[in-house]
């Protein structure tokens, strides 16, 4: 599935970095940056992740939650 800026978030359930279940329904109505990447440790994905990390505090200050999604561990 290819998403574009402004698309509605697909429904999902996944484990977060601490092993807790995160459900997309918990994010409905909240400002969320959903970041999906296909592969760990690749130049493109690493560059995107670094850019988001650099802007993380700004997103938080604007009331956004940043959620990264990957099929990798």
């Amino acid at each position: 599935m290819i998403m574009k800026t402004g698309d509605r978030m697909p429904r999902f359930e996944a484990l977060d970095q601490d092993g807790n279940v995160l459900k997309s329904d918990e994010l409905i109505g909240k400002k969320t940056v959903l970041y999906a990447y296909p592969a760990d440790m690749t130049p493109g994905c690493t560059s995107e992740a670094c850019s988001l990390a650099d802007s993380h505090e700004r997103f938080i200050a604007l009331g956004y939650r940043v959620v990264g999604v990957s099929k990798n561990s």
Side-chain angles (χ1 to χ4, degrees), residues 33 51-52 55-66:
V33 175
S51 176
L52 280 168
S55 302
H56 188 254
E57 291 302 318
R58 194 170 114 211
F59 283 122
I60 299 303
L62 293 170
Y64 284 86
R65 178 176 182 179
V66 179

